[in-house]
Amino acid sequence: KNEVEQSPQNLTAQEGEFITINCSYSVGISALHWLQQHPGGGIVSLFMLSSGKKKHGRLIATINIQEKHSSLHITASHPRDSAVYICAIISNFGNEKLTFGTGTRLTIIP
Amino acid sequence: SAVISQKPSRDICQRGTSLTIQCQVDSQVTMMFWYRQQPGQSLTLIATANQGSEATYESGFVIDKFPISRPNLTFSTLTVSNMSPEDSSIYLCSVALGTRSGELFFGEGSRLTVL
């Protein structure tokens, strides 16, 4: 079992829909990152969380440390939101190595 | 924040050749990370490049195959040596401001195809 599990693996939605991507992990963490990977391969950091909730524009990220779960929400989705969204954790044990989820491929249809 | 310039953005290479990927950061950083992302897979850490010392390689990656240079606090290179089709991947460099728990920045990736 991977330390980081994301769901769904693929998600297709109509423009304007509310999107939720989930990330569950199995170890104690010091931080969790949400990343966005564009079709060309470049990656942009969206959020870094250690507790609670963060909002940036139409994006909202939440984390529940007790349940070892985080969600990324996109409101009023737009075709330009189409990308792969990756959850990555830094465990609070050992060498603080980043562990990545396998990503959620989001496609927003106009 | 940090801006990372990575090149080449993509290349098509012949089996048995080597290719060097460059990563330039617009600020001084202690650690730079090199990742591989094979088709359909998530990112895997190859090594951590530290200025002034040998890179630290992860299990399954060796210096002979992926030599890394880190001549100063803003620049690093990764060479993929003696390439085979299995090396076809996206290679990314990354930095974290502060500690590993700090904000992450990635290069735009180098998409290599080995024929």
Side-chain angles (χ1 to χ4, degrees):
Chain A
K1 185 178 189 296
N2 294 332
E3 285 186 349
V4 183
E5 298 277 354
Q6 284 186 239
S7 63
Q9 287 187 316
N10 295 282
L11 178 58
T12 300
Q14 293 288 334
E15 182 174 357
E17 286 189 39
F18 181 82
I19 303 298
T20 296
I21 299 171
N22 297 298
C23 176
S24 296
Y25 51 92
S26 56
V27 298
I29 65 169
S30 58
L32 180 145
H33 294 266
W34 280 103
L35 309 170
Q36 180 190 54
Q37 185 170 31
H38 294 285
I43 294 177
V44 175
S45 175
L46 299 175
F47 294 104
M48 181 183 67
L49 295 163
S50 56
S51 65
K53 174 180 175 179
K54 287 189 176 180
K55 184 176 189 292
H56 185 258
R58 295 181 294 108
L59 302 178
I60 303 167
T62 64
I63 188 168
N64 184 318
I65 296 296
Q66 287 71 33
E67 295 187 3
K68 294 185 169 59
H69 181 269
S70 176
S71 294
L72 176 69
H73 305 285
I74 305 175
T75 62
S77 59
H78 190 277
R80 64 174 175 266
D81 297 325
S82 299
V84 175
Y85 292 84
I86 301 170
C87 169
I89 63 169
I90 298 178
S91 70
N92 57 13
F93 174 79
N95 63 3
E96 293 191 313
K97 187 182 299 185
L98 266 173
T99 302
F100 295 85
T102 53
T104 295
R105 183 174 299 276
L106 175 66
T107 303
I108 303 298
I109 300 171
Chain B
S1 68
V3 176
I4 303 176
S5 300
Q6 185 176 341
K7 58 182 181 181
S9 58
R10 59 176 61 230
D11 207 340
I12 299 174
C13 308
Q14 295 296 319
R15 180 194 296 262
T17 63
S18 299
L19 182 77
T20 296
I21 302 166
Q22 298 180 3
C23 187
Q24 178 77 52
V25 188
D26 69 345
S27 56
Q28 294 185 339
V29 293
T30 304
M31 291 188 292
M32 295 177 71
F33 308 99
W34 286 99
Y35 292 93
R36 181 177 72 181
Q37 186 179 31
Q38 294 177 301
Q41 303 296 314
S42 190
L43 282 77
T44 301
L45 180 63
I46 297 171
T48 302
N50 306 301
Q51 195 270 335
S53 64
E54 293 284 335
T56 304
Y57 287 83
E58 298 299 309
S59 176
F61 297 96
V62 295
I63 188 171
D64 289 346
K65 176 67 176 177
F66 297 102
I68 286 172
S69 77
R70 183 82 200 273
N72 56 53
L73 291 173
T74 64
F75 186 78
S76 179
T77 68
L78 170 76
T79 298
V80 187
S81 303
N82 189 24
M83 286 185 284
S84 66
E86 291 72 34
D87 294 319
S88 297
S89 296
I90 299 173
Y91 294 84
L92 296 115
C93 64
S94 174
V95 303
L97 296 189
T99 68
R100 284 184 191 258
S101 299
E103 189 175 1
L104 298 175
F105 298 89
F106 289 84
E108 294 182 350
S110 298
R111 185 183 295 270
L112 301 188
T113 302
V114 185
L115 303 177

